[in-house]
């Protein structure tokens, strides 16, 4: 039985994906189950986090968002089994029942983005009806789920689009997004647009997709030039607002901190892996998993999924995902 693994070069820059034969699964222990995998979603691997957690191995299993008979869930960060395999062994604390109406690919393709959206909007920013929220890059797989959760909670949503296709996608959302800000040409000021939309009050919650720490002239990466500067985020944030950032290397200078202090605003870092790092949060984690599946079954979550991928194409597809290529969620179907 083969599984997909990744091997990191000595320079820690290049990642190689390989299929390897796996040994037979060990005898199932208490609270562990064998799961026949029906679908496994592809997500970028945070090699820096694995290194910081001292989890470096010669070969690391790939694929953690899985759906199968009879249960589905996210494999823990330290799982020895790759999700891209016919059968895996997993602890019952990482599983949740899949509603009958939900397909295997929908379950695997939504579970992680659903957890991230709940972590950001429910636990880190306490989203409620009437709040205004800016969701950057709303046409991404994660952005789509975050917008749908915000709308379900009764929030006013503003979002950014990185291309004409993304803008058209966001304009088709129902209920409609209050304002779609097209940042593809680099000429639109996100802060000005948000302040105009909120009558100068600023938004209550910002969920970024990365921020620019330096000026455009000092930023060589063209993609990063489309991101808002950290000063723009602070400017558009309202009094008592919450900034949820995915920028793990965020640097705030004393004037930035002072401005946040005057607004009584907070900054929180979105790391959805925290649920798997401590058993103290296990109950909340299982509640999130269950609620994500229920909202998927009820049609609240409508994920943007690409066509299912056969297992033999998983290696090539994972290489593209690791390079952040493609917009829709990639799911391997067994």
């Amino acid at each position: 039985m083969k599984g997909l693994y990744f091997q990191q070069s000595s320079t820690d820059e290049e990642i190689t994906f390989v299929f390897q034969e796996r040994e037979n699964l060990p005898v199932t222990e208490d609270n562990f189950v064998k799961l026949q995998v029906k679908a496994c979603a592809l997500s970028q691997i945070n090699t820096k986090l694995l290194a910081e957690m001292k989890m470096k191995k010669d070969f690391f299993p790939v694929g953690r968002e899985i759906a199968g008979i009879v249960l589905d869930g996210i494999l823990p960060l330290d799982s020895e089994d790759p999700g891209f395999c016919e059968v895996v062994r997993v602890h019952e604390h990482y599983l949740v029942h899949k509603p009958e109406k939900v397909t295997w690919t929908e379950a695997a393709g939504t579970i992680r983005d659903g957890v991230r959206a709940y972590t950001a909007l429910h636990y880190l920013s306490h989203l409620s009806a009437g709040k205004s929220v800016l969701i950057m890059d709303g046409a991404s797989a994660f952005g789509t789920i975050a917008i749908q959760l915000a709308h379900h909670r009764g929030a006013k949503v503003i979002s950014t689009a990185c291309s004409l296709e993304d803008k058209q996608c966001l304009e088709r959302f129902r209920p409609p997004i209050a304002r779609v800000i097209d940042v593809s040409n680099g000429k639109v000021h996100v802060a000005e647009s948000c302040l105009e939309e909120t009558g100068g009050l600023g938004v209550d919650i910002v969920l970024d997709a990365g921020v620019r720490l330096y000026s455009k002239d000092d930023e060589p990466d063209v993609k990063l030039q489309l991101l808002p500067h950290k000063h723009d985020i602070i400017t558009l944030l309202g009094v008592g607002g919450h900034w949820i950032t995915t920028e793990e290397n965020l640097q705030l200078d004393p004037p930035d901190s002072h401005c946040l202090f005057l607004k009584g605003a907070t900054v929180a870092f979105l790391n959805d892996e925290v649920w798997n790092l401590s058993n103290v949060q296990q109950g909340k984690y299982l509640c999130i998993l269950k609620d994500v599946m229920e909202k998927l079954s009820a049609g609240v979550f409508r994920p943007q999924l690409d066509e299912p991928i056969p297992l033999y194409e998983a290696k090539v597809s994972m290489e593209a995902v690791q390079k952040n290529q493609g917009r829709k969620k990639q799911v391997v179907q067994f």
Side-chain angles (χ1 to χ4, degrees), residues 181 282 311 319 334:
I181 305 171
Q282 195 66 50
L311 181 59
E319 290 170 350
F334 289 76

Side-chain angles (χ1 to χ4, degrees), residues 298-315:
V300 174
F301 288 156
R302 303 174 300 283
Q304 292 198 56
L305 304 179
D306 217 332
E307 290 296 319
I309 302 166
L311 181 59
Y312 63 84
E313 292 184 5
K315 179 177 176 292

